[in-house]
Amino acid sequence: MTSGAEASALLTRHTEAQDLFGARVHAVREDQWGAGTPCAEWTVRDLVNHLVSEQLWVPSLVRDGCMIEEVGDTFEGDLLGPDPAASWDTAAHSAREAFAAPGALERTVHLSYGDTPATAYCAQMVADLVVHAWDLSRAIGFDERLPEELVGFAVEEITPYAGDLEKSGLFGAPVEPPPGADAQTRLLCLLGRRP
């Protein structure tokens, strides 16, 4: 059972991580949507589309208690349309509302790898947003420094299962960080990035 204070702190981190990524989405210039990113084979548009899809899944899984199979391919394909930033804003808002609803973080969600506490799902979403905010920053030439609190949260969240992420095919093999590396560099290296 998550205490009220813990739930509130997690929701704050989720909002901060969404805002962090969202600021970068709104900074993408029209000529940058086709640019490459640190995520192999993903353009800026692909990366933002991935995060929009992730946010759109939240109401179905958290609020509605859907199984993956029930949602099916609803959130596949191009979800950005002619106004990617507006599509991001709408998706982010829907995820934020679903996680913040009374009792939402006390639920169990049905993910591809099994039933998971909603708090764990939310924490994974925070970490994913933080790392992809760096990816998007690098791709569009935005400030790559990430907030210390979010970096610390992401390191704590990802470290226990970092070894499994490479197997998923969504992350590269961990990279050895340079001696004396700061927390952000260690986080990025843990996920196969080369800062």
Side-chain angles (χ1 to χ4, degrees), residues 177-183 185-186:
D182 63 10
T185 301
R186 291 195 310 274

Side-chain angles (χ1 to χ4, degrees), residues 130-152:
V130 172
V131 173
H132 286 316
W134 180 85
D135 292 331
L136 188 52
S137 298
R138 172 142 298 189
I140 66 170
F142 201 89
D143 180 9
E144 294 180 13
R145 279 300 330 147
L146 303 172
E148 283 182 30
E149 299 82 9
L150 286 173
V151 168

Side-chain angles (χ1 to χ4, degrees), residues 54-65:
E54 285 199 336
Q55 304 310 302
L56 290 173
W57 272 93
V58 176
S60 297
L61 297 175
V62 175
R63 183 191 64 213
D64 303 335

